[in-house]
């Protein structure tokens, strides 16, 4: 249990750090995009400056129609400046909303991942093997307070693993087959023992239960992930 608690705590810390850096990264990216966008937009007074330049270059115009045209251009420049200013405000608001939504989505995603990990740890802790009693005569096994009915072959395989665990031994597939069949180990096939282990796991049914009980140690063999004093074979 302490190992589970420490792993959960470490997972939560890692998730918090990931969320923090994710929020910082999203804010920085959108901030950079906003800065580039605002720099790319024309200045609100650019049109007015151009109209003023036209007035200066054509100060000799006296025809009323021409003067009226220049006045219209001046009014258009003012309207353009106002519209562009409103566009800047709208773009800023949209970027703020986009940042908020992306941050919320990231936090929600990390929260879901953290909850899934936490639930997995809770499930594992909830079915931690406190006692394992094998009843050969009844073809059953008592796991904590839960009873499982198994086939005689599965009970025999589980009993062999339990006895080996009480002797601090790890059995290969060939050794398991030799103990059960009574043959010499040299005459037994590794695959036959592996098949017995597979059938035992299938008989247990629940993948999580079988994973907690039967452990496959690479290049060594099979053993039960149960404390010796928690085992009993009747």
């Amino acid at each position: 249990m302490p190992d589970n608690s420490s792993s959960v705590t470490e997972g939560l810390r890692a998730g918090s750090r990931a969320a923090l850096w994710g929020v910082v990264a999203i804010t920085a990216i959108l901030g950079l995009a906003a800065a580039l966008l605002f720099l790319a937009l024309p200045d609100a007074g650019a049109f007015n400056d151009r109209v003023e330049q036209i007035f200066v270059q054509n100060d000799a115009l006296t025809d009323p129609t021409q003067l009226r045209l220049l006045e219209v251009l001046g009014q258009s420049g003012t309207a353009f400046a106002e519209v562009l200013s409103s566009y800047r405000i709208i773009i800023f608001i949209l970027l703020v909303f986009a940042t908020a939504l992306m941050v919320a989505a990231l936090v929600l995603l990390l929260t879901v991942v953290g909850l899934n990990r936490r639930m997995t740890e809770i499930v594992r802790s909830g079915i931690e093997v406190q006692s394992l009693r094998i009843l050969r005569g009844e073809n059953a096994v008592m796991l904590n307070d839960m009873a499982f009915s198994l086939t005689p072959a599965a009970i025999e395989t589980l009993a062999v693993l339990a006895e080996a665990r009480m002797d601090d031994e790890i059995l290969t597939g060939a050794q398991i087959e030799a103990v059960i069949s009574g043959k010499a180990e040299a005459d037994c096939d590794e695959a036959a023992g592996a098949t017995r282990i597979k059938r035992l796991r299938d008989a247990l049914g629940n993948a999580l239960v079988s994973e907690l009980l039967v452990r496959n140690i690479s290049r060594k063999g099979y053993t039960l992930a149960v404390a010796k004093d928690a085992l009993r074979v009747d």
Side-chain angles (χ1 to χ4, degrees):
M1 289 296 293
D3 294 338
N4 290 338
S5 299
S6 61
S7 63
V8 171
T9 302
E10 184 62 28
L12 291 176
R13 289 177 180 174
S16 299
R17 289 194 296 267
L20 177 60
W21 283 110
V23 170
V24 171
I26 289 175
T27 305
I29 292 172
L30 289 178
L32 178 61
L36 294 175
L37 181 59
F38 281 115
L39 289 175
L41 287 175
D43 183 47
F47 195 84
N48 279 334
D49 294 339
R50 184 59 178 168
V51 172
E52 182 180 355
Q53 184 180 359
I54 293 175
F55 271 102
V56 173
Q57 292 175 351
N58 299 275
D59 57 351
L61 295 176
T62 58
D63 185 85
T65 303
Q66 294 173 336
L67 293 176
R68 181 57 181 168
L69 177 60
L70 292 177
E71 290 177 2
V72 171
L73 287 175
Q75 293 173 359
S76 300
T78 302
F80 175 77
E82 293 174 354
V83 171
L84 190 56
S85 297
S86 64
Y87 280 175
R88 287 176 180 270
I89 295 175
I90 293 173
I91 291 172
F92 176 76
I93 294 174
L94 290 177
L95 285 173
V96 170
F97 272 112
T99 303
L101 289 175
M102 292 188 69
V103 169
L106 176 64
V107 172
L108 180 61
L109 177 62
L110 292 175
T111 300
V112 171
V113 172
L115 287 176
N116 287 339
R117 290 179 179 176
R118 179 58 178 164
M119 287 300 298
T120 301
E121 294 295 336
I122 290 174
V123 171
R124 287 181 177 273
S125 300
I127 61 173
E128 183 179 3
V129 180
Q130 302 293 339
S131 63
L132 180 65
R133 183 182 178 188
I134 301 172
L135 306 173
R136 282 180 167 174
E138 301 177 15
N139 291 329
V141 58
M142 293 292 299
L143 176 60
N144 296 342
D145 297 328
M146 298 180 293
F148 295 88
S149 296
L150 303 179
T151 63
I155 284 291
E156 193 65 28
T157 303
L158 186 59
V160 170
L161 291 173
E163 292 172 356
R165 177 68 183 94
M166 289 186 286
D167 295 334
D168 289 326
E169 295 179 354
I170 299 176
L171 299 179
T172 64
Q175 290 173 329
I176 294 173
E177 179 65 21
V179 172
I180 295 176
S181 64
K183 300 179 182 178
E185 181 180 345
D187 298 332
C188 296
D189 188 7
E190 179 70 23
T195 301
R196 291 184 181 273
I197 294 295
K198 181 181 182 303
R199 290 175 179 172
L200 171 60
R201 285 175 169 164
D202 291 341
L204 289 171
N206 190 309
L208 188 57
V209 172
S210 62
E211 182 67 23
L212 286 173
L213 284 179
V214 184
R215 180 176 298 172
N216 182 11
I217 301 177
S218 179
R219 299 182 181 179
K220 290 185 178 181
Y222 303 92
T223 186
L224 292 182
V226 183
K228 291 190 297 183
D229 54 2
L231 286 171
R232 180 177 173 183
V233 181
D234 295 334

